[in-house]
């Protein structure tokens, strides 16, 4: 019994290391942001923030507000600060603490009009035409890319606006759906689809172990179709996480689920009772934490940020964001990620089929050898019958003589 407790204990250790390692201490790491303006003061402000950030931020300058909006919608940056007036920040690059440092403000969660970052929308922004400056400081964000990143950027730039003597106006250039104000509903949709997929692996691999591998693979593909339909229903008519693009979301959900199910079905041939732990490590511990659904890679350490570039959960989350909120920009790359994981699943099933074929051949050969050995053992233990005497010509002559003697 104690040996069966190894699996849940390993799950506990793995989940703790993964989730706490990824989410316990979120902080920006080279997060790209921008200062809008082409003047010398805007460049000095950007350089000052960059120097004080110590690698947490990568601050650039863009000449026009429209350019900053485009970069936000392409997720090249995650915040753009439009300074008041000439953007000089009253000659200092700091955050109003007396020494010019950009601090994190505790009350940065409120926008200039009292709304939360996810609720701020583009409105009359009071900016002067042409030069990218504003009558009041403005921060451009895209909460659809990441609500947590938008909140962090707001905390960084709120003190700069305070130093200019004006509340910070926050404009969301890529808002999320009304029923998903934080944009994290896509992450929880990922969780639901993932659980439906990897839990089905245990059923197909366990109860269906007696079936040929091709039938198990067909069951995996069919199950992924059902799981993707359930996920699409959650995203659309049930919870309204997205307000358009449901067919595209369904396609990505199917690619994602089919990849997990095929990989898990193939792995069961080799891992047996350890399959559940294996798929949880792949598609929960490493997958959820690197998906970018809660914190983007710019808010995580290097390990999970690197996984984000090619893991299937990140492909699904970023693909749905791109499809629904960013007019498909970068969508092809995320689709390729999901397709490659599906290819890995097909290859895994193929490898499992070869392994099972060799295993069956080895078992058949072993059974034949065992039968031969058993037959030899039986033959060795049963005595052979005594041979009958062979009569030759001499014996026949003697018998004739005896018959003649008897007749006489």
């Amino acid at each position: 019994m104690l040996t069966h407790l190894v699996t849940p204990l390993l799950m506990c250790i793995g989940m703790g290391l993964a989730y706490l390692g990824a989410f316990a201490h979120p902080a920006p790491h080279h997060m790209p942001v921008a200062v809008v303006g082409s003047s010398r003061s805007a460049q000095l402000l950007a350089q000052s923030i960059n120097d004080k950030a110590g690698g947490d931020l990568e601050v650039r300058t863009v000449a026009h507000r429209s350019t900053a909006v485009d970069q936000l919608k392409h997720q090249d940056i995650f915040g753009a600060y439009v300074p008041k007036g000439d953007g000089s920040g009253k000659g200092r690059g700091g955050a109003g603490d007396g020494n010019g440092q950009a601090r994190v403000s505790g009350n940065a969660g409120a926008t200039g009009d009292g709304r939360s970052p996810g609720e701020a929308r583009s409105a009359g922004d009071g900016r002067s035409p042409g030069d990218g400056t504003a009558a009041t400081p403005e921060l451009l964000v895209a909460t659809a890319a990441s609500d947590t990143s938008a909140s962090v950027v707001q905390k960084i730039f709120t003190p700069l606006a305070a130093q200019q003597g004006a509340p910070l106006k926050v404009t969301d250039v890529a808002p999320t759906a009304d029923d998903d104000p934080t944009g994290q509903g896509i992450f929880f949709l990922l969780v639901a689809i993932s659980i439906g997929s990897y839990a089905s692996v245990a059923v197909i691999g366990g109860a269906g172990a007696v079936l040929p591998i091709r039938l198990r693979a067909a069951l995996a593909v069919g199950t992924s179709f059902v799981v993707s339909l359930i996920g699409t229903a959650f995203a659309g008519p049930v919870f309204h996480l997205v307000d358009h693009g449901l067919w595209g979301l369904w396609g990505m959900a199917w690619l994602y689920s089919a990849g997990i199910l095929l990989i898990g079905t193939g792995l069961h041939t080799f891992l047996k009772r350890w399959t559940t732990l294996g798929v949880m490590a792949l598609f929960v511990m490493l997958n959820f934490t690197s998906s970018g659904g809660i914190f983007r890679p710019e808010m995580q350490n290097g390990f999970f940020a690197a996984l984000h570039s090619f893991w299937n959960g990140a492909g699904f989350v970023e693909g749905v964001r791109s499809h629904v909120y960013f007019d498909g920009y970068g969508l092809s790359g995320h689709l390729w990620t999901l397709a490659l994981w599906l290819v890995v699943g097909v290859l895994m099933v193929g490898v499992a089929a070869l392994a099972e074929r060799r295993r069956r051949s080895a078992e058949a050969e072993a059974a034949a050898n065992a039968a031969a050995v058993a037959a030899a053992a039986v033959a060795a233990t049963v005595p052979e019958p005594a041979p009958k005497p062979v009569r030759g010509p001499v014996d026949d002559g003697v018998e004739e003589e005896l018959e003649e003697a008897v007749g006489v």
Side-chain angles (χ1 to χ4, degrees):
M1 174 181 176
L2 293 178
T3 57
H4 292 284
L5 292 175
V6 173
T7 298
L9 291 177
L10 288 176
M11 289 180 181
C12 176
I13 293 172
M15 294 289 281
L17 290 174
Y19 273 77
L20 295 177
F23 299 148
H25 301 288
H29 298 284
H30 303 286
M31 178 180 287
V33 296
V35 173
V36 178
S38 57
S39 64
R40 177 67 175 170
S41 60
Q43 296 175 358
L44 290 175
L45 176 60
Q47 185 61 49
S48 176
I49 299 172
N50 215 24
D51 293 341
K52 300 299 190 300
D56 293 342
L57 304 175
E58 290 183 358
V59 187
R60 66 187 72 172
T61 58
V62 295
H64 304 290
R65 185 181 184 276
S66 59
T67 304
V69 171
D70 288 339
Q71 292 189 8
L72 281 166
K73 291 184 176 182
H74 292 168
Q75 300 183 63
D76 295 327
I77 60 175
F78 295 94
Y81 182 70
V82 185
K84 178 182 177 181
D86 61 359
S88 64
K90 294 186 178 180
R92 292 180 294 176
D97 59 357
N99 56 11
Q101 292 184 350
R103 297 174 299 154
V104 174
S105 172
N107 63 353
T111 66
D113 59 0
R115 291 177 291 176
S116 64
E119 296 172 335
R121 297 293 186 267
S122 297
D125 53 20
R127 66 186 184 280
S128 58
D131 60 358
T133 62
T136 59
E138 181 186 20
L139 179 65
L140 306 176
V141 296
T143 55
S146 173
D147 180 70
T148 53
S149 296
S151 298
V152 168
V153 170
Q154 187 175 345
K155 289 181 179 180
I156 292 171
F157 284 101
T158 294
L160 290 176
Q163 180 164 342
Q164 291 185 311
L168 181 64
K169 175 180 176 56
V170 179
T171 302
D172 190 351
V173 301
T176 58
D178 292 337
D179 290 329
D180 185 23
T182 65
Q184 294 179 2
I186 295 174
F187 170 75
F188 295 107
L189 176 63
L190 170 78
V191 172
I193 295 174
S194 301
I195 293 176
S197 301
Y198 80 74
S200 299
V201 168
V203 177
I204 295 173
V210 296
L211 299 176
I213 186 68
R214 64 180 182 276
L215 292 183
R216 280 177 277 153
L219 280 174
V221 173
T223 303
S224 68
F225 180 77
V226 176
V227 169
S228 63
L229 287 178
I230 294 172
T232 304
F234 285 156
V238 178
F239 294 107
H240 308 288
L241 302 179
V242 299
D243 51 15
H244 65 280
L246 278 180
W247 281 111
L249 186 148
W250 169 78
M252 285 181 275
W254 179 81
L255 283 173
Y256 174 74
S257 178
I260 293 176
L261 275 154
L262 289 175
I263 290 174
T265 301
L267 283 177
H268 189 271
T269 299
F270 306 98
L271 299 182
K272 299 300 182 182
R273 71 184 186 92
W274 299 101
T275 303
T276 300
L277 179 61
V279 295
M280 282 194 67
L282 289 173
F283 304 119
V284 176
M285 299 174 191
L286 299 179
N287 190 26
F288 295 171
T289 51
S290 64
S291 66
I294 301 297
F295 297 113
R296 282 191 54 84
E298 294 82 9
M299 294 291 295
Q300 295 184 297
N301 58 48
F303 175 74
F304 292 100
L307 290 181
H308 181 84
S309 62
F310 65 91
W311 217 255
N312 61 341
F316 177 77
V317 170
E318 299 296 349
V320 173
R321 284 173 174 169
S322 174
H323 173 62
V324 176
Y325 297 122
F326 296 101
D327 298 324
Y329 182 82
L331 177 60
S332 60
H334 305 309
L335 291 178
W336 274 112
T337 298
L338 295 173
L340 288 175
W341 278 84
L342 179 60
V343 170
V344 171
V346 173
L347 293 176
M348 182 62 68
V349 170
V351 171
L354 291 176
E356 291 184 6
R357 183 181 303 171
R358 291 179 179 178
R359 186 181 300 168
R360 287 194 300 269
S361 298
E363 290 174 352
E365 183 177 354
N369 292 336
V373 171
V378 170
T381 56
V382 176
E384 296 182 1
K388 294 181 179 180
V390 178
R391 293 182 298 180
V394 177
D395 295 332
D396 293 340
V398 172
E399 186 175 357
E400 290 177 359
E401 290 180 357
L402 291 175
E403 291 176 354
E404 291 177 357
V406 170
V408 173

